[in-house]
Amino acid sequence: FCVKDSLSRLFARCGCVQSVDIYEKPGPGEKKEKVTSKFFNCKTVTGFQVAYVVFRKPAGVQAAKALSREGPLLISTESHPVKTGISKWIASYAASVVDQEELKAEVDAYMQDYDKKIAEEEAKAAEEEGVPDEEGWVKVTRKGRKPGLPRTEAANLRVLEREKQKRARKELLNFYAWQHRETKREHIAQLRKKFEEDKQRIALMRAQRKFRPY
């Protein structure tokens, strides 16, 4: 229930609040990075927390210390009620539902910035390629290697088509191999049959040569 907005409102009576930071535990915490996305890398801190309130002027700190003599500070008031129970659950669920159009706009903007960054790095690498530095060393870049595929729908379709062709060739080769094995089996069976027939004919000829009643 105690969030940045409520803390900033409570301590505003002491002076202009510059910032409010909430951490899991007290101590010299690292400086938080600026939150650029409401969909990704949003860590929710649960349980007891520690808040650091920074005033714009030092007088705000002295005024905040004197608040202990005025009694407890109320987070939920008639003018600023705090949602609890079912109302809080409903609000939390509504906040968890992702707006697809907003998410798509954020992802598209991120990919545009990423593509721009990659293009700048490639242009810089192309300028530095083959140019020796102060000590005479030449920087070798990856420009000559096979570039990565662009992340577009057409490129994905081409990859899928190549995979489909590979599977078709593999299935065809397997069929040829199976057909070759079947043909070889049939040939061996015919040879064995012919061998048995020849063996029987030779035995018959030998018997006729030995048995001569006249």
Side-chain angles (χ1 to χ4, degrees):
F1 306 105
C2 191
V3 295
K4 290 185 178 181
D5 293 338
S6 59
L7 289 174
S8 180
R9 176 174 52 82
L10 289 176
F11 287 96
R13 69 183 70 180
C14 303
C16 182
V17 177
Q18 181 175 345
S19 64
V20 177
D21 293 324
I22 297 178
Y23 296 92
E24 295 182 359
K25 55 185 178 180
E30 298 180 358
K31 186 177 179 180
K32 290 186 176 181
E33 297 181 356
K34 184 179 179 181
V35 178
T36 57
S37 173
K38 61 180 293 186
F39 301 104
F40 305 100
N41 299 327
C42 298
K43 183 181 179 181
T44 302
V45 181
T46 58
F48 290 98
Q49 305 171 32
V50 178
Y52 292 90
V53 181
V54 180
F55 294 95
R56 184 165 296 178
K57 295 182 179 180
V61 179
Q62 301 301 326
K65 291 180 179 180
L67 286 177
S68 59
R69 296 192 294 269
E70 298 181 5
L73 302 178
L74 300 179
I75 296 178
S76 182
T77 60
E78 294 182 359
S79 58
H80 296 88
V82 173
K83 293 182 179 181
T84 59
I86 296 179
S87 299
K88 185 176 184 300
W89 297 341
I90 293 174
S92 299
Y93 174 77
S96 65
V97 177
V98 177
D99 187 348
Q100 295 183 1
E101 294 297 329
E102 190 176 358
L103 175 61
K104 182 178 182 300
E106 180 176 325
V107 172
D108 291 342
Y110 176 84
M111 293 308 302
Q112 289 178 1
D113 294 339
Y114 178 81
D115 292 338
K116 181 180 178 182
K117 180 181 177 182
I118 294 298
E120 292 175 353
E121 292 179 355
E122 290 179 351
K124 183 178 179 181
E127 293 177 357
E128 296 178 352
E129 186 174 7
V131 179
D133 57 11
E134 297 178 355
E135 298 180 357
W137 293 93
V138 178
K139 183 179 180 180
V140 178
T141 63
R142 300 179 61 182
K143 181 181 177 182
R145 298 186 180 181
K146 185 177 180 180
L149 291 175
R151 290 174 302 278
T152 61
E153 186 175 357
N156 293 334
L157 291 176
R158 288 196 296 271
V159 172
L160 292 176
E161 185 63 25
R162 283 197 292 269
E163 291 296 329
K164 184 178 179 181
Q165 293 176 0
K166 287 181 181 179
R167 287 196 297 269
R169 286 196 296 268
K170 187 176 181 181
E171 292 174 358
L172 187 61
L173 291 174
N174 291 337
F175 174 76
Y176 286 155
W178 173 82
Q179 191 178 36
H180 180 69
R181 287 194 297 269
E182 290 297 321
T183 304
K184 192 174 181 180
R185 288 196 189 99
E186 293 178 359
H187 182 63
I188 293 174
Q190 292 177 0
L191 290 177
R192 288 177 177 173
K193 183 179 179 181
K194 189 174 182 301
F195 176 74
E196 292 296 331
E197 292 175 353
D198 292 342
K199 188 166 66 172
Q200 293 176 4
R201 188 168 59 251
I202 292 173
L204 182 60
M205 291 174 62
R206 287 178 178 174
Q208 290 177 352
R209 224 177 10 250
K210 291 180 181 179
F211 182 69
R212 291 180 181 178
Y214 303 104

